[in-house]
Amino acid sequence: MRFKNTFADLRARARWFKGLLLLCCVGLGISSEAASARWIGNVVYVTDGDTLWVKGSQQGSDAVKVRLIGIDAPEICQPFGMQARDGLLAQLLGQEVVVIGRRTDDYGRLLARIQLRGQDMGQWLVSHGLAWSYRYRKSQGPYINEELQARAARVGLWQDDVPMPPMVFRHKHGSCY
């Protein structure tokens, strides 16, 4: 399918891609119902401070790429990016977790909360200064209190006087990948 670069064609391309993504998600066993479901799995890989792979505990299930909802961790190539990834890796790799899916994003990742023995890992990352509470429109995000406490204690990325939010970093430098 060929597209031009007009606004209408870009919208058509986005709809086509979302349809393809839905087909891929169904093929991977991530239906829209499953995306909003609660399930148990084992963490098999950690990509960065807010993305990991979880393999369902059911026999034959594939690993699912999960993006932690409610946070934005530093890019892997920006200050504290490696620490965020390593913190998540140390906490979760090989561990059985509860995945509370919300939906899939435009990149096919399952947006979800991850709990390890009842601890919300997004909350853990923000409280340890390894991520920001994700801001959207006028919302300060679900973990703003943890972020304010981490800032006050100057832990993690808050050791820098003015750490650069990942969204600003990506806008200035692009993705690390």
Side-chain angles (χ1 to χ4, degrees):
M1 179 177 265
R2 291 190 110 20
F3 293 99
K4 298 176 185 169
N5 283 329
T6 66
F7 182 72
D9 287 333
L10 289 174
R11 288 179 60 199
R13 186 181 301 175
R15 282 192 304 272
W16 179 83
F17 184 70
K18 284 183 181 180
L20 178 64
L21 198 53
L22 180 61
L23 287 173
C24 291
C25 287
V26 170
L28 289 173
I30 312 173
S31 66
S32 59
E33 295 82 22
S36 63
R38 179 183 191 103
W39 49 281
I40 296 173
N42 290 305
V43 176
V44 294
Y45 187 74
V46 176
T47 306
D48 56 28
D50 52 26
T51 308
L52 58 143
W53 292 79
V54 181
K55 184 173 174 31
S57 57
Q58 293 180 342
Q59 184 72 19
S61 64
D62 292 326
V64 175
K65 190 173 188 179
V66 178
R67 166 69 163 77
L68 292 175
I69 198 166
I71 69 166
D72 201 5
E75 293 295 316
I76 201 81
C77 60
Q78 83 177 97
F80 288 94
M82 296 288 277
Q83 290 93 326
R85 192 237 7 235
D86 292 348
L88 195 59
L89 186 71
Q91 289 290 309
L92 295 182
L93 188 62
Q95 298 294 315
E96 184 176 85
V97 296
V98 176
V99 179
I100 305 164
R102 298 285 190 248
R103 63 187 180 282
T104 55
D105 68 6
D106 292 341
Y107 302 103
R109 301 174 298 188
L110 175 63
L111 299 177
R113 293 193 187 274
I114 299 287
Q115 292 180 346
L116 174 66
R117 295 184 286 278
Q119 169 70 55
D120 181 316
M121 293 312 298
Q123 181 182 42
W124 183 88
L125 283 159
V126 174
S127 67
H128 283 82
L130 298 173
W132 281 258
S133 181
Y134 188 81
R135 285 143 176 77
Y136 182 72
R137 296 187 181 167
K138 293 183 181 182
S139 170
Q140 293 295 302
Y143 306 115
I144 190 61
N145 292 332
E146 290 82 0
E147 181 179 313
L148 293 173
Q149 290 173 359
R151 280 184 191 214
R154 295 185 62 85
V155 298
L157 59 92
W158 301 111
Q159 294 171 29
D160 288 349
D161 289 331
V162 185
M164 184 181 295
M167 187 179 297
V168 174
F169 181 89
R170 286 187 297 270
H171 182 71
K172 284 186 173 188
H173 306 287
S175 173
C176 297
Y177 299 106

